[in-house]
Amino acid sequence: MNDQTGTKPIRTRKPRKGPGRPAAGESLTPGEVADAALQLVVAEGEEALTMRRLGEELGVKAMALYNHFADKDAILDAVASLALAQLPVAPEKGPWK
């Protein structure tokens, strides 16, 4: 976690030159994409989230994101799910009243 903002730093990588698959251990996961998108939205707002910008933050071309999500709306759905999953859950003690 970043001590100043309380968020994890966005994973950075150098864009690949030319065609081909990434080296072993360098491929993105949907979770990494969603986490980076959430961090970008928290830091700069939803308007800052574009496929191109998210790709830049992850060190990949924007088109690489479409291997994991159909479109920006699908990424926003994953961001919402990730944000909800991070909310604290109240302990269950006694009756609700």
Side-chain angles (χ1 to χ4, degrees):
M1 288 212 149
N2 185 331
D3 293 333
Q4 295 173 351
T5 62
T7 60
K8 292 187 281 186
I10 294 178
R11 179 177 166 183
T12 58
R13 59 174 77 212
K14 294 179 182 176
R16 292 183 51 83
K17 292 184 180 177
R21 299 181 67 80
E26 288 188 15
S27 57
L28 285 174
T29 65
E32 290 174 324
V33 174
D35 188 50
L38 175 61
Q39 290 178 48
L40 183 59
V41 168
V42 168
E44 300 181 30
E46 184 182 344
E47 304 80 31
L49 180 63
T50 64
M51 299 300 265
R52 181 175 293 178
R53 175 68 190 280
L54 184 56
E56 288 173 1
E57 292 293 328
L58 290 166
V60 299
K61 296 185 185 260
M63 292 305 293
L65 303 174
Y66 291 100
N67 291 320
H68 304 286
F69 294 96
D71 54 22
K72 182 179 171 184
D73 287 336
I75 291 177
L76 287 172
D77 288 344
V79 166
S81 295
L82 188 58
L84 287 173
Q86 293 177 357
L87 291 176
V89 178
E92 293 184 35
K93 293 184 179 178
W96 64 274
K97 288 186 178 185

Coordinates of all heavy atoms in Angstrom, one line a residue:
M1 N 0.8 -1.2 0.0 CA 0.0 0.0 0.0 C 0.9 1.2 0.0 O 1.9 1.3 0.6 CB -0.9 0.0 1.2 CG -2.0 -0.9 1.2 SD -3.4 -0.2 2.1 CE -4.7 -1.0 1.2
N2 N 0.4 2.3 -0.6 CA 1.0 3.5 -0.7 C 0.7 4.2 0.7 O -0.4 4.4 1.0 CB 0.5 4.3 -1.9 CG 1.3 5.6 -2.0 OD1 1.7 6.2 -1.1 ND2 1.3 6.1 -3.2
D3 N 1.7 4.6 1.4 CA 1.5 5.2 2.7 C 0.7 6.5 2.7 O 0.0 6.9 3.6 CB 2.8 5.5 3.4 CG 3.5 4.2 3.8 OD1 2.8 3.2 4.0 OD2 4.7 4.2 3.9
Q4 N 0.9 7.3 1.6 CA 0.3 8.6 1.5 C -1.2 8.5 1.1 O -2.0 9.3 1.7 CB 1.0 9.5 0.5 CG 2.4 9.8 1.0 CD 3.2 10.5 -0.1 OE1 2.8 10.7 -1.2 NE2 4.4 11.0 0.3
T5 N -1.6 7.7 0.2 CA -2.9 7.6 -0.3 C -3.7 6.4 0.3 O -4.9 6.4 0.2 CB -3.0 7.6 -1.8 OG1 -2.3 6.4 -2.2 CG2 -2.3 8.8 -2.4
G6 N -3.0 5.4 0.8 CA -3.7 4.3 1.3 C -4.1 3.3 0.3 O -4.9 2.4 0.5
T7 N -3.5 3.5 -1.0 CA -3.9 2.6 -2.0 C -2.6 1.8 -2.5 O -1.5 2.3 -2.3 CB -4.4 3.3 -3.3 OG1 -3.5 4.3 -3.7 CG2 -5.7 4.0 -2.9
K8 N -2.8 0.7 -3.1 CA -1.7 0.0 -3.7 C -1.2 0.7 -4.9 O -2.0 1.2 -5.7 CB -2.1 -1.5 -4.0 CG -2.4 -2.3 -2.8 CD -2.6 -3.7 -3.2 CE -4.0 -3.9 -3.8 NZ -4.4 -5.2 -4.1
P9 N 0.1 0.7 -5.2 CA 0.6 1.3 -6.4 C 0.2 0.6 -7.6 O 0.0 -0.7 -7.6 CB 2.1 1.3 -6.2 CG 2.4 0.2 -5.2 CD 1.2 0.1 -4.4
I10 N -0.1 1.3 -8.7 CA -0.5 0.6 -9.9 C 0.6 -0.1 -10.5 O 1.8 0.4 -10.5 CB -1.1 1.7 -10.9 CG1 -2.4 2.3 -10.3 CG2 -1.4 1.1 -12.3 CD1 -3.0 3.4 -11.2
R11 N 0.4 -1.3 -10.9 CA 1.5 -2.1 -11.6 C 1.9 -1.4 -12.8 O 1.1 -1.1 -13.7 CB 0.9 -3.5 -11.8 CG 1.9 -4.4 -12.5 CD 1.2 -5.8 -12.6 NE 2.0 -6.6 -13.5 CZ 1.6 -7.8 -13.9 NH1 0.5 -8.3 -13.5 NH2 2.4 -8.5 -14.7
T12 N 3.2 -1.3 -13.0 CA 3.7 -0.6 -14.2 C 4.6 -1.7 -15.0 O 5.2 -2.5 -14.4 CB 4.6 0.6 -13.9 OG1 5.7 0.2 -13.0 CG2 3.8 1.7 -13.2
R13 N 4.5 -1.6 -16.2 CA 5.3 -2.4 -17.1 C 5.6 -1.6 -18.4 O 4.9 -0.7 -18.7 CB 4.6 -3.7 -17.4 CG 3.3 -3.5 -18.1 CD 2.6 -4.8 -18.5 NE 2.0 -5.4 -17.4 CZ 1.9 -6.8 -17.3 NH1 2.3 -7.5 -18.3 NH2 1.4 -7.3 -16.3
K14 N 6.6 -2.0 -19.1 CA 7.0 -1.3 -20.3 C 6.2 -1.9 -21.4 O 6.0 -3.1 -21.5 CB 8.5 -1.5 -20.6 CG 9.4 -0.9 -19.6 CD 10.8 -1.1 -19.9 CE 11.7 -0.5 -18.8 NZ 13.1 -0.7 -19.1
P15 N 5.6 -1.0 -22.3 CA 4.9 -1.6 -23.5 C 5.8 -2.4 -24.3 O 7.0 -2.1 -24.5 CB 4.5 -0.3 -24.2 CG 4.6 0.8 -23.3 CD 5.6 0.4 -22.3
R16 N 5.3 -3.5 -24.8 CA 6.0 -4.4 -25.7 C 6.2 -3.8 -27.1 O 5.3 -3.1 -27.6 CB 5.3 -5.8 -25.8 CG 5.4 -6.5 -24.5 CD 4.8 -7.9 -24.7 NE 5.3 -8.6 -25.8 CZ 6.4 -9.4 -25.7 NH1 7.1 -9.4 -24.6 NH2 6.8 -10.0 -26.8
K17 N 7.3 -4.1 -27.7 CA 7.5 -3.6 -29.1 C 7.3 -4.8 -30.0 O 7.9 -5.8 -29.8 CB 8.9 -3.0 -29.3 CG 9.1 -1.7 -28.5 CD 10.4 -1.2 -28.8 CE 10.6 0.1 -28.0 NZ 11.9 0.7 -28.2
G18 N 6.4 -4.6 -31.0 CA 6.2 -5.7 -32.0 C 5.2 -6.7 -31.5 O 4.7 -6.7 -30.4
P19 N 4.8 -7.6 -32.4 CA 3.8 -8.6 -32.1 C 4.4 -9.7 -31.2 O 5.6 -9.8 -31.0 CB 3.5 -9.2 -33.5 CG 4.7 -9.0 -34.3 CD 5.3 -7.7 -33.8
G20 N 3.5 -10.6 -30.7 CA 3.9 -11.7 -29.9 C 3.3 -11.7 -28.6 O 2.7 -10.7 -28.2
R21 N 3.5 -12.8 -27.9 CA 2.9 -12.9 -26.5 C 3.9 -12.4 -25.5 O 5.1 -12.4 -25.7 CB 2.6 -14.4 -26.3 CG 1.5 -14.9 -27.2 CD 1.2 -16.4 -26.9 NE 0.5 -16.5 -25.7 CZ -0.8 -16.3 -25.5 NH1 -1.5 -15.9 -26.5 NH2 -1.3 -16.5 -24.3
P22 N 3.4 -11.9 -24.4 CA 4.3 -11.5 -23.3 C 5.1 -12.6 -22.8 O 4.7 -13.8 -22.9 CB 3.4 -10.9 -22.3 CG 2.0 -11.4 -22.5 CD 2.0 -11.8 -24.0
A23 N 6.2 -12.3 -22.2 CA 7.0 -13.3 -21.5 C 6.3 -14.0 -20.4 O 5.3 -13.4 -19.8 CB 8.3 -12.7 -21.0
A24 N 6.7 -15.1 -20.0 CA 6.0 -15.8 -18.9 C 6.0 -15.0 -17.6 O 7.0 -14.4 -17.3 CB 6.8 -17.2 -18.6
G25 N 4.9 -14.9 -17.0 CA 4.7 -14.2 -15.8 C 4.4 -12.7 -16.0 O 4.3 -12.0 -15.0
E26 N 4.3 -12.3 -17.2 CA 4.1 -10.9 -17.5 C 2.6 -10.6 -18.0 O 2.3 -9.4 -18.2 CB 5.0 -10.3 -18.6 CG 6.4 -10.2 -18.1 CD 7.3 -9.5 -19.1 OE1 6.7 -8.9 -20.1 OE2 8.5 -9.5 -19.0
S27 N 1.8 -11.6 -18.2 CA 0.5 -11.4 -18.7 C -0.4 -10.8 -17.6 O -0.3 -11.1 -16.4 CB -0.1 -12.6 -19.3 OG -0.1 -13.7 -18.3
L28 N -1.4 -10.0 -18.0 CA -2.3 -9.4 -17.1 C -3.4 -10.4 -16.7 O -3.7 -11.3 -17.4 CB -3.0 -8.2 -17.8 CG -2.2 -6.9 -17.9 CD1 -3.1 -6.0 -18.8 CD2 -1.9 -6.3 -16.6
T29 N -4.0 -10.1 -15.5 CA -5.2 -10.9 -15.1 C -6.4 -9.9 -15.1 O -6.1 -8.7 -14.9 CB -5.0 -11.5 -13.8 OG1 -4.9 -10.5 -12.8 CG2 -3.8 -12.4 -13.8
P30 N -7.6 -10.4 -15.1 CA -8.7 -9.5 -15.0 C -8.7 -8.8 -13.6 O -9.1 -7.6 -13.6 CB -9.9 -10.4 -15.1 CG -9.4 -11.6 -15.9 CD -8.0 -11.7 -15.5
G31 N -8.2 -9.4 -12.6 CA -8.2 -8.8 -11.3 C -7.2 -7.6 -11.3 O -7.5 -6.6 -10.6
E32 N -6.1 -7.8 -11.9 CA -5.1 -6.7 -12.0 C -5.7 -5.5 -12.8 O -5.5 -4.3 -12.4 CB -3.8 -7.1 -12.7 CG -3.0 -8.1 -11.8 CD -1.8 -8.6 -12.6 OE1 -1.9 -8.9 -13.8 OE2 -0.8 -8.8 -11.9
V33 N -6.4 -5.8 -13.8 CA -7.0 -4.7 -14.6 C -8.0 -4.0 -13.8 O -8.0 -2.7 -13.7 CB -7.6 -5.3 -15.9 CG1 -8.4 -4.2 -16.7 CG2 -6.5 -5.9 -16.8
A34 N -8.9 -4.7 -13.1 CA -9.9 -4.1 -12.3 C -9.3 -3.3 -11.1 O -9.8 -2.2 -10.8 CB -10.9 -5.2 -11.8
D35 N -8.3 -3.8 -10.5 CA -7.6 -3.2 -9.4 C -7.0 -1.8 -9.9 O -7.2 -0.8 -9.2 CB -6.6 -4.1 -8.8 CG -6.0 -3.5 -7.5 OD1 -6.9 -3.1 -6.6 OD2 -4.8 -3.4 -7.3
A36 N -6.3 -1.9 -11.0 CA -5.7 -0.7 -11.6 C -6.8 0.4 -11.9 O -6.7 1.6 -11.7 CB -4.9 -1.0 -12.8
A37 N -7.9 -0.1 -12.5 CA -9.0 0.8 -12.8 C -9.6 1.4 -11.6 O -9.9 2.6 -11.6 CB -10.1 0.0 -13.6
L38 N -9.8 0.6 -10.5 CA -10.3 1.2 -9.3 C -9.4 2.2 -8.7 O -9.8 3.3 -8.3 CB -10.5 0.0 -8.3 CG -11.0 0.5 -6.9 CD1 -12.3 1.2 -6.9 CD2 -11.0 -0.7 -5.9
Q39 N -8.1 2.0 -8.7 CA -7.2 2.9 -8.2 C -7.2 4.2 -9.0 O -7.1 5.3 -8.5 CB -5.8 2.4 -8.2 CG -5.6 1.3 -7.2 CD -4.2 0.7 -7.2 OE1 -3.2 1.4 -7.2 NE2 -4.2 -0.7 -7.2
L40 N -7.3 4.1 -10.3 CA -7.4 5.3 -11.2 C -8.7 6.1 -10.9 O -8.6 7.3 -10.8 CB -7.3 4.9 -12.7 CG -7.3 6.0 -13.7 CD1 -6.1 6.9 -13.5 CD2 -7.3 5.3 -15.1
V41 N -9.8 5.4 -10.8 CA -11.0 6.1 -10.5 C -11.0 6.8 -9.1 O -11.4 7.9 -9.0 CB -12.2 5.1 -10.5 CG1 -13.5 5.7 -10.0 CG2 -12.5 4.6 -12.0
V42 N -10.4 6.1 -8.1 CA -10.3 6.7 -6.8 C -9.4 7.9 -6.8 O -9.7 9.0 -6.2 CB -9.8 5.7 -5.8 CG1 -9.4 6.3 -4.5 CG2 -10.9 4.6 -5.5
A43 N -8.3 7.8 -7.5 CA -7.3 8.9 -7.6 C -7.8 10.1 -8.4 O -7.5 11.3 -8.0 CB -6.0 8.4 -8.1
E44 N -8.4 9.8 -9.6 CA -8.7 10.9 -10.5 C -10.1 11.0 -10.9 O -10.5 11.9 -11.7 CB -7.8 10.8 -11.7 CG -6.3 10.8 -11.4 CD -5.4 10.7 -12.6 OE1 -5.8 11.1 -13.7 OE2 -4.3 10.1 -12.4
G45 N -11.0 10.2 -10.5 CA -12.4 10.2 -10.9 C -12.7 9.3 -12.1 O -11.8 9.0 -12.9
E46 N -14.0 9.1 -12.3 CA -14.4 8.2 -13.3 C -14.1 8.7 -14.7 O -13.8 8.0 -15.6 CB -15.9 7.9 -13.2 CG -16.5 6.9 -14.2 CD -17.9 6.7 -14.1 OE1 -18.6 7.0 -13.1 OE2 -18.5 6.1 -15.1
E47 N -14.1 10.0 -14.9 CA -13.8 10.7 -16.1 C -12.4 10.3 -16.6 O -12.2 10.3 -17.8 CB -14.0 12.2 -16.1 CG -15.3 12.7 -15.6 CD -15.4 12.6 -14.1 OE1 -14.4 12.7 -13.3 OE2 -16.6 12.4 -13.6
A48 N -11.5 10.1 -15.7 CA -10.1 9.8 -16.1 C -10.0 8.3 -16.6 O -8.9 8.0 -17.3 CB -9.2 10.0 -14.9
L49 N -10.9 7.5 -16.4 CA -10.8 6.1 -16.8 C -11.2 5.9 -18.3 O -12.4 6.0 -18.6 CB -11.7 5.2 -15.9 CG -11.7 3.7 -16.3 CD1 -10.3 3.1 -16.1 CD2 -12.7 3.0 -15.5
T50 N -10.2 5.7 -19.1 CA -10.4 5.4 -20.5 C -9.6 4.1 -20.7 O -8.7 3.8 -20.0 CB -9.9 6.5 -21.4 OG1 -8.5 6.7 -21.3 CG2 -10.7 7.8 -21.2
M51 N -9.9 3.4 -21.8 CA -9.2 2.2 -22.1 C -7.7 2.6 -22.4 O -6.8 1.9 -21.9 CB -9.8 1.5 -23.3 CG -11.2 1.0 -23.0 SD -11.3 -0.1 -21.6 CE -11.3 -1.7 -22.5
R52 N -7.5 3.7 -23.1 CA -6.1 4.1 -23.4 C -5.4 4.4 -22.1 O -4.2 4.0 -21.9 CB -6.2 5.3 -24.4 CG -4.8 5.7 -24.8 CD -4.8 6.8 -25.8 NE -5.3 6.2 -27.0 CZ -5.6 6.9 -28.1 NH1 -5.3 8.2 -28.2 NH2 -6.0 6.3 -29.2
R53 N -6.0 5.2 -21.2 CA -5.3 5.6 -20.0 C -5.0 4.4 -19.1 O -4.0 4.3 -18.5 CB -6.2 6.7 -19.3 CG -5.7 7.1 -17.9 CD -4.4 7.9 -18.1 NE -3.7 8.1 -16.8 CZ -4.1 9.0 -15.9 NH1 -5.1 9.8 -16.2 NH2 -3.5 9.1 -14.8
L54 N -6.0 3.5 -19.0 CA -5.8 2.3 -18.2 C -4.7 1.5 -18.8 O -3.8 1.0 -18.0 CB -7.1 1.5 -18.1 CG -7.1 0.3 -17.2 CD1 -6.6 0.7 -15.8 CD2 -8.4 -0.3 -17.2
G55 N -4.6 1.3 -20.1 CA -3.5 0.6 -20.7 C -2.2 1.3 -20.4 O -1.2 0.6 -20.1
E56 N -2.1 2.6 -20.5 CA -0.9 3.3 -20.1 C -0.5 3.0 -18.7 O 0.7 2.8 -18.4 CB -1.1 4.8 -20.4 CG -1.1 5.2 -21.8 CD -1.5 6.7 -22.0 OE1 -1.6 7.4 -21.0 OE2 -1.6 7.1 -23.1
E57 N -1.4 3.0 -17.8 CA -1.1 2.8 -16.4 C -0.5 1.4 -16.2 O 0.3 1.2 -15.3 CB -2.3 3.0 -15.5 CG -2.8 4.4 -15.4 CD -1.9 5.4 -14.7 OE1 -1.2 4.9 -13.8 OE2 -1.8 6.5 -15.1
L58 N -1.0 0.4 -17.0 CA -0.6 -0.9 -16.8 C 0.6 -1.3 -17.7 O 1.1 -2.4 -17.6 CB -1.8 -1.9 -17.1 CG -2.9 -1.9 -16.1 CD1 -4.1 -2.5 -16.6 CD2 -2.4 -2.6 -14.8
G59 N 1.0 -0.4 -18.6 CA 2.1 -0.6 -19.5 C 1.8 -1.5 -20.6 O 2.7 -2.2 -21.1
V60 N 0.5 -1.5 -21.1 CA 0.1 -2.3 -22.2 C -0.7 -1.4 -23.2 O -1.1 -0.3 -22.8 CB -0.8 -3.5 -21.8 CG1 0.0 -4.4 -20.9 CG2 -2.1 -3.1 -21.2
K61 N -0.9 -1.9 -24.4 CA -1.8 -1.1 -25.3 C -3.2 -1.3 -24.9 O -3.6 -2.4 -24.3 CB -1.6 -1.6 -26.7 CG -0.1 -1.3 -27.2 CD 0.0 -1.7 -28.6 CE 1.5 -1.5 -29.0 NZ 1.7 -0.3 -29.7
A62 N -4.1 -0.4 -25.2 CA -5.5 -0.4 -24.8 C -6.2 -1.7 -25.3 O -7.0 -2.3 -24.6 CB -6.2 0.8 -25.3
M63 N -5.8 -2.1 -26.5 CA -6.5 -3.3 -27.0 C -6.2 -4.6 -26.2 O -7.0 -5.5 -26.2 CB -6.0 -3.5 -28.5 CG -6.5 -2.5 -29.4 SD -8.3 -2.2 -29.4 CE -8.8 -3.8 -30.1
A64 N -5.1 -4.6 -25.5 CA -4.8 -5.8 -24.6 C -5.9 -5.9 -23.5 O -6.1 -7.1 -23.1 CB -3.4 -5.6 -24.0
L65 N -6.5 -4.9 -23.1 CA -7.6 -4.9 -22.1 C -8.8 -5.7 -22.6 O -9.5 -6.3 -21.8 CB -7.9 -3.5 -21.6 CG -6.8 -2.7 -21.1 CD1 -7.2 -1.3 -20.8 CD2 -6.1 -3.3 -19.9
Y66 N -9.0 -5.7 -23.9 CA -10.2 -6.4 -24.4 C -10.0 -7.9 -24.4 O -11.0 -8.6 -24.6 CB -10.5 -5.9 -25.8 CG -11.0 -4.5 -25.9 CD1 -10.1 -3.4 -26.2 CD2 -12.3 -4.2 -25.6 CE1 -10.5 -2.1 -26.2 CE2 -12.7 -2.8 -25.6 CZ -11.8 -1.8 -25.9 OH -12.3 -0.5 -26.0
N67 N -8.9 -8.4 -24.0 CA -8.7 -9.8 -23.8 C -9.4 -10.2 -22.5 O -9.6 -11.4 -22.3 CB -7.2 -10.2 -23.8 CG -6.6 -10.1 -25.1 OD1 -7.2 -10.4 -26.1 ND2 -5.3 -9.6 -25.1
H68 N -9.6 -9.3 -21.6 CA -10.1 -9.6 -20.3 C -11.5 -9.0 -20.1 O -12.3 -9.6 -19.3 CB -9.2 -9.0 -19.2 CG -7.8 -9.5 -19.4 ND1 -7.4 -10.7 -19.0 CD2 -6.7 -8.9 -19.8 CE1 -6.1 -10.9 -19.3 NE2 -5.7 -9.8 -19.8
F69 N -11.9 -7.9 -20.8 CA -13.2 -7.3 -20.6 C -13.7 -6.9 -22.0 O -13.0 -6.5 -22.8 CB -13.1 -6.1 -19.7 CG -12.7 -6.4 -18.3 CD1 -11.4 -6.3 -17.9 CD2 -13.7 -6.8 -17.4 CE1 -11.0 -6.6 -16.6 CE2 -13.3 -7.1 -16.1 CZ -12.0 -7.0 -15.6
A70 N -15.0 -7.1 -22.1 CA -15.7 -6.8 -23.4 C -15.6 -5.3 -23.8 O -15.4 -4.9 -24.9 CB -17.1 -7.2 -23.4
D71 N -15.8 -4.4 -22.7 CA -15.8 -3.0 -23.0 C -15.6 -2.3 -21.7 O -15.4 -2.9 -20.6 CB -17.1 -2.6 -23.7 CG -18.3 -3.0 -22.9 OD1 -18.2 -3.3 -21.7 OD2 -19.4 -3.1 -23.5
K72 N -15.6 -0.9 -21.7 CA -15.4 -0.1 -20.5 C -16.5 -0.4 -19.5 O -16.2 -0.4 -18.3 CB -15.4 1.4 -20.9 CG -15.1 2.3 -19.8 CD -15.0 3.7 -20.2 CE -15.0 4.7 -19.0 NZ -15.0 6.1 -19.5
D73 N -17.7 -0.6 -19.9 CA -18.8 -0.9 -19.0 C -18.5 -2.1 -18.2 O -18.8 -2.2 -17.0 CB -20.1 -1.0 -19.7 CG -20.6 0.4 -20.2 OD1 -20.2 1.4 -19.6 OD2 -21.5 0.4 -21.1
A74 N -17.9 -3.1 -18.8 CA -17.6 -4.4 -18.1 C -16.5 -4.1 -17.0 O -16.5 -4.7 -15.9 CB -17.1 -5.4 -19.1
I75 N -15.5 -3.2 -17.4 CA -14.5 -2.9 -16.4 C -15.1 -2.1 -15.3 O -14.8 -2.3 -14.1 CB -13.4 -2.0 -17.1 CG1 -12.6 -2.9 -18.0 CG2 -12.5 -1.4 -16.0 CD1 -11.5 -2.2 -18.8
L76 N -16.1 -1.2 -15.6 CA -16.7 -0.4 -14.5 C -17.5 -1.4 -13.6 O -17.6 -1.2 -12.4 CB -17.6 0.7 -15.1 CG -16.9 1.9 -15.6 CD1 -17.8 2.8 -16.4 CD2 -16.1 2.6 -14.5
D77 N -18.2 -2.4 -14.1 CA -18.9 -3.4 -13.3 C -17.9 -4.1 -12.4 O -18.2 -4.3 -11.2 CB -19.6 -4.4 -14.2 CG -20.8 -3.9 -14.9 OD1 -21.3 -2.8 -14.5 OD2 -21.2 -4.5 -15.9
A78 N -16.7 -4.5 -12.9 CA -15.7 -5.1 -12.1 C -15.2 -4.2 -11.0 O -14.9 -4.6 -9.9 CB -14.6 -5.6 -13.0
V79 N -15.0 -2.9 -11.4 CA -14.6 -1.9 -10.4 C -15.6 -1.8 -9.3 O -15.2 -1.7 -8.1 CB -14.3 -0.5 -11.1 CG1 -14.2 0.6 -10.1 CG2 -13.1 -0.6 -11.9
A80 N -16.9 -1.7 -9.6 CA -17.9 -1.6 -8.6 C -17.9 -2.8 -7.7 O -18.1 -2.7 -6.5 CB -19.3 -1.4 -9.3
S81 N -17.8 -4.0 -8.3 CA -17.8 -5.2 -7.5 C -16.6 -5.3 -6.5 O -16.7 -5.6 -5.4 CB -17.7 -6.5 -8.4 OG -18.9 -6.6 -9.1
L82 N -15.4 -4.8 -7.0 CA -14.2 -4.8 -6.2 C -14.4 -3.8 -5.1 O -14.0 -4.1 -4.0 CB -13.0 -4.4 -7.1 CG -11.6 -4.5 -6.5 CD1 -11.3 -5.9 -6.0 CD2 -10.6 -4.1 -7.6
A83 N -14.9 -2.6 -5.4 CA -15.1 -1.6 -4.4 C -16.1 -2.1 -3.3 O -15.9 -1.9 -2.1 CB -15.6 -0.3 -5.0
L84 N -17.2 -2.7 -3.7 CA -18.1 -3.3 -2.7 C -17.5 -4.4 -1.9 O -17.8 -4.5 -0.7 CB -19.4 -3.8 -3.4 CG -20.3 -2.7 -4.0 CD1 -21.4 -3.4 -4.8 CD2 -20.9 -1.9 -2.9
A85 N -16.7 -5.2 -2.5 CA -16.0 -6.3 -1.7 C -15.1 -5.7 -0.7 O -14.8 -6.4 0.3 CB -15.3 -7.2 -2.7
Q86 N -14.6 -4.5 -0.9 CA -13.6 -3.9 0.1 C -14.3 -3.2 1.2 O -13.7 -2.8 2.2 CB -12.7 -3.0 -0.6 CG -11.8 -3.7 -1.6 CD -10.9 -2.8 -2.4 OE1 -11.0 -1.6 -2.3 NE2 -10.0 -3.3 -3.2
L87 N -15.6 -3.1 1.2 CA -16.4 -2.4 2.3 C -16.4 -3.3 3.5 O -16.6 -4.5 3.4 CB -17.8 -2.1 1.9 CG -18.0 -1.0 0.8 CD1 -19.4 -0.8 0.4 CD2 -17.4 0.3 1.3
P88 N -16.2 -2.7 4.7 CA -16.3 -3.6 5.9 C -17.7 -4.0 6.1 O -18.7 -3.4 5.8 CB -15.8 -2.6 7.0 CG -16.1 -1.2 6.5 CD -15.9 -1.3 5.0
V89 N -17.8 -5.2 6.7 CA -19.1 -5.8 6.9 C -19.3 -5.8 8.5 O -18.4 -6.1 9.2 CB -19.1 -7.3 6.5 CG1 -20.5 -7.9 6.8 CG2 -18.9 -7.4 5.0
A90 N -20.5 -5.3 8.8 CA -20.8 -5.2 10.3 C -20.9 -6.6 10.9 O -21.4 -7.5 10.2 CB -22.1 -4.4 10.5
P91 N -20.4 -6.7 12.1 CA -20.5 -8.1 12.7 C -22.0 -8.4 13.1 O -22.8 -7.5 13.3 CB -19.7 -7.9 14.0 CG -19.6 -6.4 14.3 CD -19.7 -5.8 12.9
E92 N -22.3 -9.6 13.0 CA -23.7 -10.1 13.3 C -23.7 -10.4 14.8 O -23.2 -11.4 15.2 CB -24.0 -11.3 12.5 CG -24.1 -11.1 11.0 CD -24.6 -12.3 10.2 OE1 -25.4 -13.1 10.7 OE2 -24.1 -12.5 9.1
K93 N -24.4 -9.5 15.5 CA -24.6 -9.7 16.9 C -26.0 -9.3 17.3 O -26.4 -8.2 17.1 CB -23.6 -8.9 17.7 CG -22.1 -9.3 17.6 CD -21.2 -8.5 18.5 CE -19.8 -8.9 18.3 NZ -18.9 -8.2 19.1
G94 N -26.7 -10.2 17.9 CA -28.0 -10.0 18.4 C -29.0 -9.6 17.4 O -28.8 -9.7 16.2
P95 N -30.2 -9.2 17.8 CA -31.3 -8.8 16.9 C -30.9 -7.5 16.1 O -30.1 -6.7 16.6 CB -32.5 -8.6 17.8 CG -31.9 -8.3 19.1 CD -30.6 -9.1 19.2
W96 N -31.6 -7.3 15.0 CA -31.3 -6.1 14.2 C -31.7 -4.8 14.8 O -31.3 -3.8 14.4 CB -31.8 -6.3 12.8 CG -33.3 -6.4 12.7 CD1 -34.1 -7.5 12.9 CD2 -34.2 -5.3 12.5 NE1 -35.4 -7.1 12.8 CE2 -35.5 -5.8 12.5 CE3 -34.1 -3.9 12.2 CZ2 -36.7 -5.0 12.3 CZ3 -35.2 -3.1 12.0 CH2 -36.5 -3.7 12.1
K97 N -32.7 -4.9 15.8 CA -33.2 -3.7 16.4 C -32.3 -3.2 17.5 O -31.8 -3.8 18.3 CB -34.6 -3.9 16.9 CG -35.6 -4.0 15.8 CD -37.0 -4.1 16.3 CE -38.0 -4.1 15.2 NZ -39.3 -4.1 15.7

